[in-house]
Amino acid sequence: MASFKLRHFANAETLRAVRPQFLMALLGRHADYFAERGVNFGAFNGAGPDYEAIAGVLMAPEQPPSTLIDDLYYVDEMATQPGMDALLEAAEAAKVELDLDDEPTPADVAVQVRLRAPALLEQKHAEQVLLDRKRTFVYFQAKDGADTRYHAPGAKRVRAFEDTMGVRLDLMKRGRTCKLFVFPRADGVWFLVRRGDPYKREGAIEKAKTTSVYYRPEKYDVLKYDEGLGELAINAEGNKKLAEHYRELVGVLLFDDAKHFPDTAKFTLEPLQESGAESLVCSDVEGIDSVVLKELQVYWGGAYGESTTHKAKDLFAAWAAHERSVPKGRLVKASFLVRFTGQKTARSVTIRPSNIASYTRNEDASLVEQWLALRGFVKTPILEAQDADLAPAAAVA
């Protein structure tokens, strides 16, 4: 887990939001740990939990056992109204019976799902992580002539991915923990990889004495496969070695080929120099109302590695006002403001050749990449879907 800092469950008020029998069922699995710290669950029969005492244990900097961290972390993360709605819907779809009355709290629901279907709680938490965060992606296209049709990987292939990636993570001093979640969506198949980061040690104060907390942070990497483009997008926090591993292992996971996604270039910013303001036309992309260039970085090189960055609310309008045009040097970064239909606020998109794009929201990627391809910012031509029916194929073992 990330450092053990609970957003909701580290205070008595939030603990009271959980029905007492649910809370005791969850924490009772760790009764020995609490007993060692003066909290005796056996004394609560008929009197209700000692919320202040429990909160005191949870707020202490001392590292709890990993099983308790797992229980509390996932419950804590999903003990929100959106989390409750997602869990209730998922439990109904999976036919998981929850012991709830007509007025449960979000914490009640999260605890019940953790007790009745822990894997489902982790799955929905992973989905929430996938949707909530801004991403910078590195892109890799399938090699020429390769089959790009998506076949859902079976459990055996998923386990093989987790085992192999776990070994590679261990060599990178990130532990062997690796969990792969698969989310087929309308804009492609998304993969979320839960893994560890290198250990961290932080100073802490306990009972007026200096101590330290030693833990392995939890991280999530996001991958996306687009069948129509034959393309893999990877967000691994800018770690090139991790991206290389994912590029190879997803090739094996989906196509039995570690070289299915070679390291080829995708993006170019040359249309800005070749077509000027015309390169921002978006009237042929349904869902995008306008695109404005707000920042451009130009690399000149030379003995001192000179570069210049141009910024304005609208660079093409600013250049026109001064009878200037796009600089002729090598364009290495461009940031655009894209206004999507029905949205009051434009959102930022940044492109860095040869294969990096950053989006404010994951769901912006599909429309923006359609526009980029139409204006010539994408070097690799869009592949025609090899199968008119894009419904998920049968799982491959």
Side-chain angles (χ1 to χ4, degrees):
M1 279 313 129
S3 77
F4 190 60
K5 297 177 182 177
L6 300 175
R7 293 188 296 175
H8 307 108
F9 265 51
N11 65 76
E13 182 180 354
T14 305
L15 291 170
R16 287 191 177 91
V18 185
R19 193 181 302 178
Q21 60 266 39
F22 294 172
L23 184 64
M24 289 301 94
L26 183 71
L27 298 184
R29 304 194 291 193
H30 315 283
D32 290 345
Y33 174 80
F34 283 92
E36 291 173 359
R37 285 148 188 81
V39 181
N40 185 355
F41 289 163
F44 297 151
N45 291 337
D50 187 340
Y51 298 106
E52 285 74 15
I54 295 173
V57 172
L58 297 181
M59 290 176 66
E62 184 177 346
Q63 186 74 352
S66 60
T67 51
L68 174 59
I69 293 177
D70 283 347
D71 279 348
L72 292 179
Y73 175 78
Y74 291 112
V75 168
D76 189 65
E77 289 281 294
M78 297 300 289
T80 63
Q81 183 174 329
M84 180 181 77
D85 294 340
L87 289 174
L88 288 174
E89 182 178 350
E92 182 179 3
K95 300 188 183 325
V96 175
E97 294 187 8
L98 304 178
D99 182 16
L100 298 171
D101 57 22
D102 292 335
E103 298 179 348
T105 66
D108 283 338
V109 174
V111 170
Q112 272 287 292
V113 176
R114 184 62 184 176
L115 292 170
R116 301 292 179 90
L120 181 62
L121 182 67
E122 294 185 25
Q123 175 84 4
K124 298 312 291 184
H125 173 258
E127 187 172 344
Q128 177 176 279
V129 171
L130 177 68
L131 297 174
D132 283 352
R133 300 187 182 180
K134 179 179 178 179
R135 302 291 177 189
T136 297
F137 289 98
V138 179
Y139 293 83
F140 302 96
Q141 289 78 45
K143 60 187 178 183
D144 291 342
D147 182 2
T148 64
R149 290 171 295 182
Y150 172 72
H151 297 277
K156 183 177 179 180
R157 284 179 178 255
V158 170
R159 285 194 301 272
F161 176 98
E162 294 171 340
D163 291 343
T164 305
M165 191 65 198
V167 172
R168 298 190 183 190
L169 288 168
D170 197 32
L171 292 173
M172 295 176 69
K173 309 304 181 185
R174 285 162 170 77
R176 295 188 69 129
T177 298
C178 178
K179 177 68 175 176
L180 177 67
F181 299 90
V182 183
F183 301 96
R185 296 171 55 185
D187 59 345
V189 183
W190 294 76
F191 303 88
L192 192 70
V193 181
R194 188 176 74 211
R195 61 170 176 85
D197 232 14
Y199 265 97
K200 294 182 69 174
R201 181 179 283 107
E202 293 182 354
I205 301 295
E206 182 178 10
K207 297 179 181 179
K209 293 183 179 180
T210 300
T211 182
S212 63
V213 180
Y214 189 53
Y215 64 94
R216 185 184 296 283
E218 178 184 72
K219 295 293 182 180
Y220 288 88
D221 296 326
V222 177
L223 322 173
K224 175 193 173 187
Y225 179 65
D226 187 315
E227 179 180 31
L229 298 177
E231 177 180 84
L232 177 66
I234 299 174
N235 171 272
E237 298 188 335
N239 189 304
K240 293 182 179 180
K241 189 66 174 178
L242 283 173
E244 178 183 335
H245 289 322
Y246 289 136
R247 178 165 60 89
E248 293 180 1
L249 294 184
V250 172
V252 175
L253 176 74
L254 301 182
F255 302 102
D256 286 322
D257 183 359
K259 297 182 179 180
H260 186 86
F261 299 102
D263 189 4
T264 53
K266 175 175 180 175
F267 297 118
T268 175
L269 295 176
E270 292 177 0
L272 295 173
Q273 294 171 322
E274 296 171 352
S275 304
E278 292 298 313
S279 65
L280 304 187
V281 170
C282 59
S283 55
D284 51 351
V285 181
E286 185 177 355
I288 296 181
D289 291 342
S290 66
V291 180
V292 173
L293 178 65
K294 68 171 184 175
E295 181 177 338
L296 185 66
Q297 185 174 356
V298 186
Y299 180 75
W300 301 101
Y304 301 101
E306 180 185 0
S307 65
T308 55
T309 300
H310 303 261
K311 293 183 179 181
K313 293 180 180 179
D314 184 332
L315 274 174
F316 278 115
W319 285 328
H322 298 286
E323 298 183 352
R324 295 160 56 193
S325 60
V326 181
K328 298 300 182 183
R330 180 159 67 92
L331 307 184
V332 295
K333 176 184 175 182
S335 293
F336 306 90
L337 283 176
V338 181
R339 189 177 300 279
F340 295 91
T341 302
Q343 301 296 318
K344 294 183 179 180
T345 304
R347 297 200 284 268
S348 179
V349 174
T350 299
I351 302 299
R352 287 185 289 159
S354 61
N355 59 355
I356 298 176
S358 300
Y359 303 99
T360 302
R361 298 183 182 178
N362 288 339
E363 58 266 30
D364 295 347
S366 296
L367 280 179
V368 171
E369 289 178 24
Q370 181 184 347
W371 166 71
L372 289 170
L374 288 170
R375 298 289 84 81
F377 292 100
V378 176
K379 298 181 72 172
T380 303
I382 295 180
L383 301 175
E384 295 294 334
Q386 293 181 319
D387 186 350
D389 182 6
L390 295 183
V396 177

